[in-house]
Amino acid sequence: RNRNATAFAHGSRLQTHDAVDRLPAAALPAAMADKPTALEDRGTDVRMRSPSAARNRELILTVLQRVLPQEGRVLEIASGTGEHAVHFAHAMPGLTWRTSDPDAASRTSIAAWIEAEALANVLAPLAIDTRTSDWGVEGERFDAVVSLNMIHIAPWEAALGLVAGASRLLKPKGLLFFYGPFKRDGEHTAPSNEAFDASLKSRDPSWGVRDVADVAREAQRKGFALMEIEEMPANNLCVIF
């Protein structure tokens, strides 16, 4: 992210998409928490397990290791099961990972993963709804804000709030990092993404696969500049500001 004085700088069971396991707990306010999910139930073990997280965590980690500093603080929005956070924290011990999720069951899972892995560099999850103006960390500053598979399974207002919050909380050279399915120039990148988008909107009309250009436009309004788009497996993108 580069700022200057004037302006710019900074799952469901649909078979084919790796984001669907996170519906809905990883991204949604508690009022929406009755929608279906493919997260595994393991009885008395409160740690939830997402098949998509197991598939994509190494791929995402490779990108994060390239773009994040070796030491610093990261805020993850909608940490879901907590599996990504503990995996990344193991691999990047110099980073302190601040987790969050608006869903109580997800926060319980995140806390259980942190305890089970005995990680000192993952902090207890916060109940952050990005549509609010106070996330409970307003006195902190972060080197990165990370959002994985969230903005397509939440209202557009949640994406706008995420960008606004990142602009408040990031250090001057901090990164805003998205991972998930996106449109490009108004077009889906694969037929499976188009079907996934239709499935999302049938569940909730306010959900849907977002266009990189729309996200970039809103980010630019908050002082971000699009730095990189990296194509990932399963028709996903890493979008970095």
Side-chain angles (χ1 to χ4, degrees):
R1 172 172 88 153
N2 299 306
R3 289 179 182 248
N4 61 33
T6 56
F8 304 151
H10 182 24
S12 154
R13 298 184 184 275
L14 206 71
Q15 313 87 303
T16 55
H17 208 285
D18 96 348
V20 297
D21 306 325
R22 306 187 70 225
L23 296 174
L28 301 173
M32 299 181 186
D34 60 345
K35 291 186 166 61
T37 174
L39 299 173
E40 295 182 25
D41 180 358
R42 300 244 176 154
T44 58
D45 184 352
V46 296
R47 290 177 296 168
M48 294 188 288
R49 292 163 171 83
S50 164
S52 72
R55 288 194 298 271
N56 64 35
R57 61 190 182 183
E58 283 294 335
L59 299 164
I60 299 170
L61 174 62
T62 298
V63 182
L64 289 174
Q65 287 177 316
R66 179 170 56 79
V67 301
L68 293 182
Q70 290 189 344
E71 297 183 351
R73 295 173 61 82
V74 177
L75 174 61
E76 184 182 9
I77 297 299
S79 302
T81 64
E83 293 167 279
H84 280 127
V86 297
H87 185 73
F88 300 155
H90 269 302
M92 297 180 284
L95 293 175
T96 297
W97 208 267
R98 166 70 84 178
T99 58
S100 73
D101 206 285
D103 176 71
S106 293
R107 293 194 301 274
T108 298
S109 176
I110 296 163
W113 275 108
I114 295 170
E115 181 179 7
E117 299 295 321
L119 287 164
N121 62 326
V122 186
L123 302 181
L126 299 173
I128 294 178
D129 180 338
T130 60
R131 297 173 298 180
T132 65
S133 59
D134 185 345
W135 291 1
V137 288
E138 299 305 309
E140 301 181 42
R141 292 298 177 265
F142 297 92
D143 297 279
V145 172
V146 172
S147 175
L148 311 177
N149 279 331
M150 178 273 212
I151 63 172
H152 57 285
I153 50 175
W156 177 237
E157 290 75 18
L160 298 179
L162 195 162
V163 172
S167 72
R168 294 194 309 272
L169 299 174
L170 280 172
K171 296 176 183 179
K173 294 184 179 180
L175 296 178
L176 175 56
F177 183 102
F178 293 96
Y179 167 86
F182 288 89
K183 294 179 185 177
R184 301 190 75 170
D185 299 320
E187 300 292 332
H188 288 288
T189 61
S192 62
N193 278 16
E194 185 172 8
F196 182 50
D197 187 39
S199 175
L200 292 174
K201 289 175 179 174
S202 72
R203 294 171 179 272
D204 189 319
S206 71
W207 296 1
V209 174
R210 311 303 179 187
D211 198 305
V212 170
D214 292 336
V215 177
R217 181 187 65 247
E218 298 301 330
Q220 181 176 301
R221 289 174 178 170
K222 292 296 183 181
F224 291 93
L226 180 60
M227 293 173 53
E228 182 178 343
I229 299 172
E230 178 150 346
E231 295 185 358
M232 302 290 283
N235 306 310
N236 289 297
L237 300 175
C238 290
V239 181
I240 307 167
F241 296 89

